[in-house]
Amino acid sequence: MQSRLALSKLLALPLTILFIAVVAGVFVGYLVTRSKFLTDAVEPIIAGLFTIPLTLFFPMFILFFGIGAGSKIAYGAAGGFFPVALATVIGIRGIDARYVEMSRAIGASRAQIVFLVELRLALPAVAIANSICFSLDGRTMYFCDSLSQRIQQCDYDAETAQVDRARHRRPGGGFLGDGLDIGEAGVD
């Protein structure tokens, strides 16, 4: 009985952090893709904040949430939020518009399109983005999708932190899909 209680206490904090990061990241990422204005206004902010080391803000987390579990949850959720939100934006942008059109044509409601088409098709990008990295010149962003054994490649504008033209790339050789390595020849 005590071991179950100890295990539940041990898992409660990381599961709470994971839940908050995923729900908030997917929600904000989805909202960002709903309009051109939001995409232009919010996506560069998310991409820019993703590059800032979160440790710089840890004193603020302690100041606002205290020394207890609240600051740990907020710190962990903030650390998970940005990659999930960015992956959601990229995943939804990568969906072929014909899927949404087809769903409308067969009478799917807006909620069905969101949950059964858009978020489901974006799930591989959100769930298994093993690594996000940039080309040596900083003009291309890559992230590894282990589920489909593909690397998603996007144009990246460092001045505006804008991601555009998402496309898939299948690497050659024995692709294990567990991260990325940028070298002189590009992504390995």
Side-chain angles (χ1 to χ4, degrees):
M1 186 65 176
Q2 287 181 346
S3 62
R4 284 186 184 176
L5 181 62
L7 182 63
S8 67
K9 284 184 178 182
L10 178 70
L11 293 177
L13 190 63
L15 290 176
T16 302
I17 292 168
L18 178 66
F19 178 78
I20 292 169
V22 168
V23 170
V26 169
F27 180 72
V28 169
Y30 178 77
L31 287 180
V32 166
T33 62
R34 295 303 87 197
S35 77
K36 177 89 171 111
F37 173 75
L38 280 177
T39 302
D40 291 343
V42 178
E43 184 184 7
I45 294 169
I46 293 172
L49 289 174
F50 178 58
T51 63
I52 298 172
L54 195 60
T55 308
L56 294 173
F57 300 106
F58 190 65
M60 291 175 54
F61 285 102
I62 292 175
L63 180 66
F64 290 119
F65 299 102
I67 294 177
S71 62
K72 294 174 189 170
I73 291 171
Y75 182 76
F81 167 80
F82 293 106
V84 171
L86 192 56
T88 302
V89 169
I90 292 169
I92 290 175
R93 280 180 152 195
I95 295 172
D96 189 340
R98 292 178 292 185
Y99 288 115
V100 175
E101 291 172 23
M102 173 78 92
S103 301
R104 284 190 188 118
I106 62 172
S109 68
R110 184 70 196 135
Q112 288 173 322
I113 292 171
V114 169
F115 291 105
L116 300 177
V117 178
E118 293 176 319
L119 291 180
R120 184 169 287 177
L121 290 174
L123 185 61
V126 176
I128 310 184
N130 289 53
S131 105
I132 296 176
C133 63
F134 297 88
S135 62
L136 294 175
D137 63 5
R139 292 186 294 195
T140 307
M141 183 179 89
Y142 302 92
F143 75 87
C144 177
D145 180 3
S146 295
L147 191 60
S148 66
Q149 295 188 343
R150 294 185 292 190
I151 294 174
Q152 187 146 356
Q153 179 178 347
C154 308
D155 293 340
Y156 181 74
D157 183 357
E159 290 181 16
T160 62
Q162 193 75 23
V163 177
D164 198 16
R165 285 191 16 172
R167 57 210 176 271
H168 293 289
R169 176 175 181 264
R170 282 203 185 270
F175 178 69
L176 298 175
D178 202 21
L180 294 173
D181 180 26
I182 300 290
E184 293 295 326
V187 175
D188 298 329

